Amino acid sequence: MNAELIEALRLLEKERGIEAEVLFEAIEEALVSAYKREFEAKTTDNIRAEIDRDTGEMRVFLTKTVVETVEDENTEIPLDEAKSLSDDFELGDMMEFELQPQDFGRLAAQTAKNVINQKLCSAERERIQNEFSSRVGEIAAGVVQRKDRREVIVDIGRAEAVLPYNEQVRTDGYNFNQRLRFLILKVDEKKGRPIIYVSRSHPNLVRRLFEQEVPEIASGIVEIVSISREAGSRTKMAVASRDDNVDAVGSCVGQRGLRVQAVMDELMGEKIDIIEWSPDLTEFISNSLNPAKVVRVDVFEEEKVARVIVPDHQLSLAIGREGQNARLAARLTGWKIDIKSEAQFREAVESELMARFSEAAEATADAFESEESNDEADLPAE
């Protein structure tokens, strides 16, 4: 039995990452609590338990004070009984007795079990907090365990994580035993239990996936400046190189597109546009509307609005299906983008010129009429 106990503790240490010493201490505390429950002791200050870390042998010791008249049998022993054991004992001396744990009753055993479970839960809670709090914002590989109406439960290695409904992506499926990678969002508590929340829809999931796939990003040569994402559909990512000899976009795409394809496969086919960031705002905004070609960009600083002119046949491409391309470009750059075709721009310019011409003509006519009225007023009366 003792050998089995040692083996079980070593297995728990390996599977849950809880140190065996913590488990030994938990059982020792449980044995003390079991004695208190079995013998209705008022205190446990005079009780100690020991477990041999090699053999698993359990021993419980009870210390009693030699007294004239016993008031508490759990802490005191009469002088005559002590003398019967040894003539050397005197009043006030301390005697230590060894108890047999197997003599404890069923209730005491249940108490010991409860204490061990509490200690295990506490150790597990502390381990999860320590291990995963430092990993917030990182990627964890996981296996889908089960799915209900709102949440998906995922095994991310030595811990279970929760994928909330608003962090899910409709294209993922979340089938039993499906392997996916998740972004660790936060570690929280619910009813005294630590809960790890993960995401599949956060833009930083794309960032971390590219860091894993692209060595130039991991080393800092290529920087991901900004990301805008509509999870499950499309992502735009602006990148810049800190080395003139390194092509930022080419590094992310990879030879024959292998690197970007690996990320897209992990995201279940989500489209990814990789564009080159530029310190020139007009160039950056122009790049952000890829794959559409831009003819002209006018920036209005005060309104933080950029007017973009594209060829007539590229208008729908620049705007995208249901406005997605323009929407992602606006989030990527942080600017509101007003897209017009060349024909619309010419029409707007012509309308503006005509309006100005009309205003000038009206102003001229009003001035002429005013001058005629003044001239008539200056004529002498007949």
Side-chain angles (χ1 to χ4, degrees):
M1 175 63 185
N2 291 340
E4 292 176 1
L5 172 67
I6 296 294
E7 182 63 25
L9 295 182
R10 298 301 180 193
L11 191 61
L12 276 172
E13 180 180 36
K14 183 179 179 180
E15 288 183 351
R16 297 199 185 185
I18 303 172
E19 292 183 9
E21 184 61 30
V22 172
L23 300 174
F24 280 121
E25 291 175 0
I27 297 174
E28 288 172 347
E29 290 179 17
L31 290 172
V32 172
S33 297
Y35 176 88
K36 183 178 180 181
R37 178 70 177 268
E38 182 70 13
F39 299 101
E40 298 180 354
K42 297 177 182 178
T43 179
T44 57
D45 293 343
N46 63 323
I47 307 167
R48 66 183 180 89
E50 289 181 358
I51 299 179
D52 190 295
R53 272 44 171 175
D54 297 318
T55 65
E57 181 184 359
M58 293 181 285
R59 306 175 72 188
V60 180
F61 299 95
L62 176 66
T63 302
K64 292 186 177 183
T65 306
V66 178
V67 295
E68 189 70 46
T69 304
V70 174
E71 296 180 359
D72 184 353
E73 292 183 355
N74 288 309
T75 60
E76 298 172 337
I77 183 173
L79 178 61
D80 56 350
E81 186 177 336
K83 288 285 188 182
S84 66
L85 298 173
S86 173
D87 290 333
D88 296 334
F89 283 112
E90 298 179 357
L91 292 174
D93 286 348
M94 309 294 289
M95 295 183 62
E96 188 172 68
F97 299 86
E98 182 176 352
L99 306 172
Q100 297 302 317
Q102 59 266 30
D103 292 339
F104 297 174
R106 182 177 58 82
L107 290 177
Q110 184 62 41
T111 300
K113 180 180 177 182
N114 291 339
V115 171
I116 291 171
N117 286 337
Q118 289 173 6
K119 192 72 175 181
L120 281 173
C121 289
S122 176
E124 181 86 345
R125 184 164 54 246
E126 185 177 347
R127 181 189 66 78
I128 290 175
Q129 285 284 0
N130 293 340
E131 180 176 344
F132 289 95
S133 293
S134 61
R135 292 181 60 191
V136 170
E138 296 181 5
I139 279 183
V143 180
V144 175
Q145 297 297 299
R146 61 186 182 276
K147 178 183 179 182
D148 59 26
R149 192 169 59 87
R150 300 289 297 177
E151 296 179 338
V152 177
I153 307 303
V154 182
D155 180 359
I156 58 173
R158 300 203 308 176
E160 279 192 342
V162 175
L163 178 65
Y165 181 78
N166 61 345
E167 298 294 339
Q168 297 173 24
V169 180
R170 57 179 174 77
T171 55
D172 283 346
Y174 306 113
N175 301 313
F176 176 68
N177 268 350
Q178 184 178 1
R179 294 182 178 274
L180 296 167
R181 281 184 279 182
F182 302 84
L183 183 77
I184 300 174
L185 283 182
K186 62 179 180 178
V187 180
D188 208 342
E189 275 204 12
K190 187 176 182 180
K191 296 181 180 179
R193 290 179 54 244
I195 298 180
I196 305 163
Y197 289 99
V198 294
S199 174
R200 281 283 295 177
S201 63
H202 200 285
N204 279 343
L205 175 63
V206 181
R207 182 187 297 272
R208 298 304 180 205
L209 289 172
F210 270 102
E211 287 176 356
Q212 290 184 352
E213 294 292 337
V214 183
E216 291 86 348
I217 294 178
S219 64
I221 296 174
V222 173
E223 177 188 0
I224 300 175
V225 180
S226 61
I227 294 178
S228 60
R229 184 186 184 200
E230 293 190 357
S233 179
R234 193 172 185 180
T235 289
K236 279 185 180 287
M237 184 173 76
V239 295
S241 175
R242 294 176 178 170
D243 186 337
D244 294 337
N245 298 317
V246 176
D247 177 12
V249 175
S251 297
C252 295
V253 172
Q255 189 175 10
R256 290 178 295 181
L258 290 177
R259 291 175 176 176
V260 69
Q261 189 61 50
V263 176
M264 290 170 64
D265 289 345
E266 174 63 35
L267 300 177
M268 302 300 169
E270 182 176 316
K271 294 179 181 178
I272 301 176
D273 296 336
I274 303 173
I275 69 164
E276 187 169 358
W277 177 85
S278 172
D280 184 336
L281 182 59
T282 59
E283 185 179 349
F284 180 34
I285 292 173
S286 177
N287 291 344
S288 72
L289 287 167
N290 280 350
K293 304 301 180 185
V294 173
V295 174
R296 173 177 172 177
V297 177
D298 296 319
V299 174
F300 303 94
E301 292 279 356
E302 291 184 2
E303 298 88 352
K304 208 172 176 66
V305 173
R307 183 175 61 197
V308 177
I309 313 303
V310 299
D312 295 348
H313 66 281
Q314 296 256 308
L315 179 61
S316 59
L317 184 62
I319 294 173
R321 182 180 296 179
E322 298 178 351
Q324 185 184 65
N325 194 53
R327 191 164 55 247
L328 288 172
R331 291 179 194 164
L332 190 73
T333 60
W335 282 69
K336 183 178 179 181
I337 299 177
D338 180 20
I339 303 174
K340 294 184 182 298
S341 68
E342 289 180 298
Q344 290 173 333
F345 179 63
R346 280 196 302 269
E347 185 179 337
V349 170
E350 289 170 3
S351 297
E352 187 178 349
L353 287 174
M354 288 300 296
R356 290 183 181 178
F357 180 77
S358 297
E359 288 176 7
E362 288 176 6
T364 302
D366 290 342
F368 183 72
E369 288 177 5
S370 176
E371 189 175 332
E372 280 190 340
S373 297
N374 291 336
D375 289 345
E376 288 178 1
D378 289 342
L379 292 174
E382 293 182 358

